[in-house]
């Protein structure tokens, strides 16, 4: 993730909001100072070395910082802005687990979000001790739910390489791989390319979340969960019969695909209706990329499985109408099954997809016979970024600025006169709007001289829209807005500090209406409503970040 002052400030605010002032001090020191040793952190923070070491260990457990250790030098630590920002998405992932599975799945995800990462036995023990859903001793139900969450990549494996920076992981692989070392000694373009490809392949293998640290894939690992748990061994074994712990982590990158589904479904619902929106949501869910650690190939076309799509759409429609049927309960032998009389038939699903393919959704296409449909992931990401960017600009500017921006996005570089004719605008109004957008960074101007003298009357001035730069501007403004909302929340808590301290007492918690006065209880309800609104706005803004930056 590219670092920026606004993002660093936001991440520090989030660390303080979730984990307290002490962790915020250490994290802020690392985010501003870069890679530091424990001694340097202690000097900059003016804290005892022993206290700093304990704090850094806690931050590593929470996956908020990376560390790197070599044999001949002290360990160094650096802030992980990606994971620090992703803490804001924990609530969304827990809510999604509860919606698409059940309360037990939500408790498992919540436990891993609190711990950062854990072994299966740790998750099982924590859930058994605190859950009101699972009966004591019902271990197999928890393990079965973990299997489902791993299959759908709501949970993923944690690898040792995830604790280090990408540069350090690649460098370490170069040192231990003899073939890579030999290729590095050779000269020539072909040898350098082979060396780079081999290092990249080794790096992808080290950070792949579909494998555990022992090298087992998800399918191989899932088939051995019952054996390892029944034998009391929480992990696989290597060649020396030494247990290798299997670590699990919540896949907070799953929120990106959920944001894409929601945005595309809202657009389809507005144009074609609710049924079409549900069909498109379930179709996009089939091609959602869930691996946060390695970039997937930017161009690939996914064939939609119509039978699976039909089952998913019918289950989704039951959830929308309030039927007590969740996806996890509807799965039979790995596939969802419904028997409702009002379920959509396969022919209706195909007609809805055909209508969507003829609409504005360029990422969706149909086969020659019309009975097969495809989704281009690269076009899907581009379409979602474009729509999110247009929505952000529509909410920021008044007419005719959004119209001008849409014309330049669709047509490319244009002269002012051409833009005036296409946009049906007056010359004065257009010039004022263009100047405003230029000052704010949403438009830029290119000079194309007709002769070497570059005379103004012999120069063509072309207005254009730089999507990448505008996206960065929107992201910076979004980071700043979220940070200000968190600061507003802290200010509101300070105003009611005495009441909130009283509410946090064990004898008052859950009995606020009886233990507080009428005035205090009214103020508390107003504060909770404001807090709920602020977090709702933060999660709405996070959807913009997920689509513009992470998709």
């Amino acid at each position: 993730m590219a670092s920026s002052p606004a993002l660093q400030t936001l991440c520090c605010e989030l660390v303080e909001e979730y984990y307290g002032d002490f962790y915020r001090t250490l994290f802020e020191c690392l985010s501003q100072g870069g890679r530091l040793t424990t001694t340097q952190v202690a000097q900059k923070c003016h804290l005892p070395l022993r206290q700093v070491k304990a704090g850094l260990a806690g931050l590593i457990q929470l996956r908020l910082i990376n560390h790197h250790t070599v044999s001949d030098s002290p360990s160094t630590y650096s802030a992980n802005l990606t994971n620090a920002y992703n803490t804001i998405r924990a609530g969304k992932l827990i809510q999604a687990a509860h919606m698409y599975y059940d309360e037990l799945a939500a408790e498992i995800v919540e436990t891993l979000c609190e711990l950062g990462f854990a072994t299966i036995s740790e998750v099982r023990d924590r859930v058994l001790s605190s859950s009101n859903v699972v009966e004591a001793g019902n271990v197999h139900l928890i393990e079965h739910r973990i299997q489902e969450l791993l299959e759908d990549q709501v949970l993923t494996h944690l690898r040792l390489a995830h604790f280090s920076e990408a540069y350090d992981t690649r460098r370490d692989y170069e040192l231990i791989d003899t073939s890579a070392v030999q290729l590095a000694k050779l000269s020539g373009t072909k040898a350098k390319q082979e060396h780079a490809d081999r290092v990249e392949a080794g790096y992808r293998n080290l950070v792949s979340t579909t494998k555990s640290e022992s090298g087992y894939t998800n399918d191989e690992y899932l088939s051995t969960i019952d054996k390892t748990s029944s034998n009391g061994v929480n992990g696989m074994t290597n060649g020396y019969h030494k247990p290798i712990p299997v670590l699990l982590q919540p896949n907070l990158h799953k929120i990106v695909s959920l944001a894409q589904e929601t945005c595309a479904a809202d657009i389809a619902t507005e144009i074609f209706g609710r049924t079409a929106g549900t069909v498109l949501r379930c179709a996009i869910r089939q091609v959602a990329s869930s691996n946060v650690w390695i970039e997937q190939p930017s161009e690939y076309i996914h064939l939609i499985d119509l039978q699976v799509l039909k089952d998913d759409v019918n289950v989704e429609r039951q959830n929308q109408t309030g039927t007590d049927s969740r996806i996890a309960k509807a799965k039979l032998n790995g596939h969802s099954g419904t028997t409702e009389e009002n379920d959509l038939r396969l022919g209706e699903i195909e007609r809805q997809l055909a209508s969507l393919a003829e609409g504005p959704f360029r990422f969706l296409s149909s086969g020659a016979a019309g009975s097969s449909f495809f989704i281009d992931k690269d076009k899907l990401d581009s379409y979602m970024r474009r729509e999110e960017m247009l929505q952000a600009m529509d909410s920021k500017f008044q007419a005719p600025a959004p119209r001008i921006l849409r014309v330049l996005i669709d047509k490319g570089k244009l002269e002012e006169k051409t833009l005036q004719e296409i946009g049906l605008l007056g010359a004065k109004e257009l010039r004022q709007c263009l100047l405003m957008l230029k000052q704010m960074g949403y438009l830029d101007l290119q000079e194309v001289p007709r002769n070497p003298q570059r005379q103004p009357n012999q120069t063509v001035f072309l207005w254009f829209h730089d999507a990448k730069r505008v996206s960065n501007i929107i992201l910076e403004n979004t980071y700043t807005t979220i940070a200000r909302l968190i600061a507003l929340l802290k200010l509101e808590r300070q105003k009611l500090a005495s009441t909130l301290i009283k509410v946090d007492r064990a004898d008052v918690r859950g009995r606020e209406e009886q233990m507080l006065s009428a005035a205090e209880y009214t103020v508390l309800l107003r504060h909770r409503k404001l807090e709920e609104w602020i977090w709702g706005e933060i999660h709405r803004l996070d959807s913009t970040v997920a689509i513009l930056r992470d998709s």
Side-chain angles (χ1 to χ4, degrees), residues 379-394:
K379 291 183 179 180
L380 170 63
D381 294 339
S382 300
Y383 175 81
M384 298 311 302
R385 285 192 292 266
R386 179 181 181 275
E387 290 299 320
E388 189 66 30
M389 191 184 305
L390 289 174
Q391 183 178 359
M393 292 186 295
D394 287 343

Side-chain angles (χ1 to χ4, degrees), residues 70-83:
V70 292
S71 58
D72 56 347
S73 61
S75 300
T76 57
Y77 304 86
S78 58
N80 190 332
L81 297 181
T82 302
N83 288 350

Side-chain angles (χ1 to χ4, degrees), residues 161-207:
H162 296 161
F163 292 96
S164 303
E165 297 282 355
Y167 171 81
D168 296 327
T169 304
R170 288 187 171 91
R171 181 62 179 168
D172 291 343
Y173 180 80
E174 286 181 309
L175 296 177
I176 62 175
D177 189 354
T178 56
S179 299
V181 173
Q182 293 176 359
L183 287 172
K185 295 178 180 179
L186 300 178
S187 60
T189 306
K190 184 177 180 180
K192 291 181 179 179
Q193 184 62 37
E194 291 179 358
H195 173 260
D197 294 341
R198 185 172 184 84
V199 171
E200 184 64 22
Y203 169 75
R204 288 176 176 270
N205 183 57
L206 288 174
V207 301

Side-chain angles (χ1 to χ4, degrees), residues 106-308:
E107 290 184 2
I108 293 173
V109 174
E110 184 177 3
T111 300
L112 282 170
C113 288
E114 292 176 356
L115 297 177
F117 64 90
T119 61
I120 296 177
S121 61
E122 291 173 344
V123 175
R124 185 176 60 230
D125 296 341
R126 286 284 294 266
V127 172
L128 284 175
S129 62
S130 61
S131 176
N132 297 324
V133 181
V134 183
E135 296 179 358
N138 197 351
V139 177
H140 293 287
L141 181 58
I142 299 177
E143 293 175 351
H144 176 69
R145 190 65 74 243
I146 292 176
Q147 283 186 359
E148 289 187 336
L149 294 174
L150 276 171
E151 288 174 353
D152 296 338
Q153 294 192 352
V154 178
L155 303 181
T156 56
H157 292 289
L158 179 67
R159 308 288 301 277
L160 295 179
H162 296 161
F163 292 96
S164 303
E165 297 282 355
Y167 171 81
D168 296 327
T169 304
R170 288 187 171 91
R171 181 62 179 168
D172 291 343
Y173 180 80
E174 286 181 309
L175 296 177
I176 62 175
D177 189 354
T178 56
S179 299
V181 173
Q182 293 176 359
L183 287 172
K185 295 178 180 179
L186 300 178
S187 60
T189 306
K190 184 177 180 180
K192 291 181 179 179
Q193 184 62 37
E194 291 179 358
H195 173 260
D197 294 341
R198 185 172 184 84
V199 171
E200 184 64 22
Y203 169 75
R204 288 176 176 270
N205 183 57
L206 288 174
V207 301
S208 174
T209 56
T210 59
K211 296 181 179 181
S212 62
E213 195 59 38
S214 57
Y216 282 75
T217 62
N218 269 349
D219 294 337
E220 296 168 336
Y221 166 69
L222 290 171
S223 64
T224 57
I225 279 187
D226 294 333
K227 298 179 182 179
T228 56
S229 61
S230 60
N231 295 332
V233 180
N234 184 37
M236 309 303 170
T237 58
N238 56 16
Y240 301 98
H241 303 285
K242 179 181 178 180
I244 300 176
V246 177
L247 300 178
L248 302 179
Q249 62 174 341
N251 184 12
L252 295 173
H253 193 69
K254 193 79 172 178
I255 299 303
V256 178
S257 60
L258 293 178
Q260 284 188 334
E261 294 171 15
T262 303
C263 183
D266 291 342
I267 297 173
T269 302
E270 184 177 355
I271 299 175
F272 296 103
R274 186 174 183 180
T275 302
T278 304
V279 171
L280 185 60
R281 178 196 296 271
C282 296
I284 294 177
R285 189 176 298 156
Q286 290 191 14
V287 298
S289 172
S290 303
N291 197 335
V292 64
W293 301 107
I294 59 176
E295 296 180 359
Q296 299 294 325
S298 59
E299 296 182 6
Y300 68 90
I301 297 177
H302 181 86
L303 173 64
I304 299 176
D305 190 331
L306 295 179
Q307 185 60 44
V308 174

